Amino acid sequence: MKLALLLLCTFFPSWARLAIWRMLGFKVGPGCHVSICSIVIADFIDIGRGAVIEPLTLIYRPRIFSMGERARIAGFVRIIGYHGTLTLGPQSFVALGCLIDVTGDFELGARSAIGPRSTLYSHGATGLIYNVKYPHRIGPVRIGADCWLGMGCIVQPQVTIGDRVIVMPGLVIRTDVASNTA
């Protein structure tokens, strides 16, 4: 029933959608905006004051979906993952066309930004695991506060990026990155 109601809300204006979310017991701060034609389906939703989800965004099935105050998700973003947790810190930003897998949890720190068309995976399941014996990686992706990931970056599972880090456009991050680095 809850799933059907969340899907139906896709075509409602923001004020009506947020009112229904409040009736379902979700935490929605004042001044939030969820654009029409954005699909948001989660077991629990917590959106801080002034948070914005732009049109044509797909957020499908995280267990917990949490956005801090004035956090923003641009259009054409896909956030997909069963039973994971998605946490976007205050004033964080996910740019146009990103793909975020939250199967193994995802956290973006305060005032951090992810550039357009970046891909962030929290699991590395592939058919090659069984026939070539590649290791199966599943684990959280954590990005600290005041970070910037350039356009087209790829972040692999089980990676922690420290605070105040700049990742240049197009880089693949496979291991942890220390704070205060570029």
Side-chain angles (χ1 to χ4, degrees), residues 66-104:
S66 176
M67 287 180 75
E69 290 185 10
R70 296 187 354 226
R72 184 177 197 95
I73 300 175
F76 299 102
V77 171
R78 293 156 299 162
I79 299 172
I80 301 169
Y82 290 103
H83 308 298
T85 299
L86 171 69
T87 305
L88 302 178
Q91 300 177 17
S92 60
F93 177 66
V94 178
L96 186 75
C98 289
L99 170 62
I100 301 174
D101 169 68
V102 297
T103 302

Side-chain angles (χ1 to χ4, degrees), residues 47-67:
I47 299 181
R49 180 180 59 216
V52 175
I53 299 173
E54 293 183 5
L56 302 172
T57 296
L58 170 65
I59 301 168
Y60 187 71
R61 298 300 292 178
R63 184 172 39 87
I64 299 172
F65 170 56
S66 176
M67 287 180 75

Side-chain angles (χ1 to χ4, degrees), residues 108-112 143-148 161-165:
L108 181 62
R111 299 171 306 282
S112 293
I143 300 171
D146 301 311
C147 293
W148 178 73
I161 297 175
D163 297 334
R164 296 169 300 284
V165 172

Side-chain angles (χ1 to χ4, degrees), residues 101 104-106 119-126 135 137-143 149 153-161 171-176:
D101 169 68
D105 297 341
F106 177 81
T119 305
L120 299 100
Y121 286 110
S122 62
H123 81 286
T126 174
R137 292 180 69 184
I138 186 165
V141 171
R142 291 192 171 87
I143 300 171
L149 274 70
C153 289
I154 298 173
V155 178
Q156 297 290 324
Q158 297 174 340
V159 169
T160 299
I161 297 175
L171 291 179
V172 177
I173 308 298
R174 293 185 177 104
T175 59
D176 292 349

